[in-house]
Amino acid sequence: MLEDPGGGAARREGGTFKAELWSSCRGWLKMKLHCEVEVVSRHLPALGMRNRGKGIRAVLSLCQQTPGSRPRPRAGGERGGPLPTCLVICTLRDKRGTRYEANSSSLKSFLSAVRLAHRGCNIEVPLSTFTPVKTSEFEKFKTKMVITSKKDYPLSKNFPYSLEHLQTSYCGLVRVDMRMLCLKNLRKLDLSHNHIKKLPATIGDLIHLQELNLSDNHLESFSVALCQSTLQKSLRSLDLSKNKIKALPVQFCQLRELTDLKLDDNELIRFPFKMGQLTNLRFLSAARNKLPFLPSEFQNLSLEYLDLFGNTFEQPKALPVIMLQTPLTLLESSARAMLYNRIPYGSHSIPFHLCQDLDTAKTCVCGRFCLSCFIQGTTTMNLHSVAHTVVLVDNMGGTEAPIISYFCSLACYVNSCDMLK
């Protein structure tokens, strides 16, 4: 809080300051802080009123009063001595500013010169007199940066820390610039049209990231680490089109906040079989891949738009693939029991290879699970059953695609035989 003992017309009683960025000091030591300011009056509660609680864009300046202004009186009533150091708050409406004496302990961290003034010491570095600020100094911090050529890519300076949207396309990047991963406010990151081959797991540290565009790169995979990062809670839109991805890990389905997913022009040979867990997905595009079948859980999706044109879908097989074992192995029985009862597991409690087996367990149409003991059958589904708008899957006007289903027992298969005809 800033004390205002004089209570003059050009002064206010106090203020709290939310600093966002330090500006550089030029010439004489006229120090400025670009920030948002919230002025709080102590009289408001007594009057039954509340402060509006919202900061406004302002510039704080540390300066000296001009010789023509009233100097601060000494204790004995004499005038004179060094000119007092003041803090001036300037806003777009009040460019000349409101003046405060720099005598509050809350300003100790403003600058070392302020600390000296607070203690009553002489400031060795001369301060310039205050002049009204320019309108340009009230511009908001930069939140968006678009770079679309190599020559504009910043090599010698960092990206603005306040960025929320960053696009660096057609820059020839072969890896993700680690400086981008320090932009903790980033919500949209566009790295399309580059030559990136691998993604660092630290992208998952961008806790506010909602949109990630990686189209037209050289990616061959999407790592499990990213699927298990904070992107699970933040990522809404993901564009992996025009890469070289052959398969997505089963953990990909843990990105359950996804609403838009683009996988066009890759080399996909399968979807994650737990695809149905992406319950928030509304837009799915995976045209021109090499998908032979869709997983059975694909039927659990509820899409607004679906494009699977140009995939190498196969005709359903007439006979099922039977891989039943009687009696069940101990591994199969224990795995089914763990998954059915939702018993937590991890590499800290069971071997890593068993975790992988459990992660890749098949889901029977009855809702139970199976590891290596199952019946596999194929049929076709009309894609309109899962999507409102469907792009034709071929040039023949078809909207049906083959779907692969698993059955944990012969009884489940027999009960579902009508579906497989």
Side-chain angles (χ1 to χ4, degrees), residues 320-371:
V321 177
I322 301 176
M323 300 184 65
L324 294 177
Q325 295 177 343
T326 305
L328 295 179
T329 64
L330 179 60
L331 175 61
E332 184 77 23
S333 298
S334 57
R336 291 188 180 192
M338 285 190 65
L339 293 171
Y340 182 75
N341 293 288
R342 299 183 180 181
I343 299 175
Y345 63 88
S347 57
H348 61 281
S349 57
I350 61 175
F352 179 72
H353 70 278
L354 293 181
C355 292
Q356 290 182 312
D357 290 339
L358 293 171
D359 287 341
T360 56
K362 284 80 174 173
T363 304
C364 177
V365 294
C366 72
R368 294 180 179 270
F369 301 90
C370 41
L371 226 61

Side-chain angles (χ1 to χ4, degrees), residues 6 29 51 61 70 83 153 157 175 204 298 331 333 338 386:
L29 192 59
N51 194 60
S61 300
R70 184 183 67 180
L83 296 175
Y153 193 83
K157 58 181 181 180
R175 62 180 64 88
F298 197 87
L331 175 61
S333 298
M338 285 190 65
V386 296

Side-chain angles (χ1 to χ4, degrees), residues 200-267:
T202 43
I203 287 183
D205 295 337
L206 299 174
I207 60 175
H208 298 296
L209 191 64
Q210 296 180 355
E211 299 181 37
L212 179 58
N213 188 344
L214 296 163
S215 64
D216 195 15
N217 277 279
H218 298 164
L219 296 174
E220 296 181 357
S221 63
F222 194 85
S223 70
V224 173
L226 286 178
C227 299
Q228 297 176 335
S229 68
T230 56
L231 295 181
Q232 291 182 3
K233 298 181 179 180
S234 65
L235 196 62
R236 303 290 189 274
S237 177
L238 177 61
D239 191 344
L240 295 172
S241 57
K242 296 184 180 179
N243 279 281
K244 301 178 181 180
I245 299 174
K246 294 182 178 180
L248 296 171
V250 66
Q251 292 84 358
F252 183 86
C253 300
Q254 296 177 13
L255 300 174
R256 297 182 184 178
E257 298 301 319
L258 275 179
T259 59
D260 297 76
L261 177 59
K262 296 181 181 179
L263 298 167
D264 306 301
D265 299 293
N266 276 279
E267 301 175 8

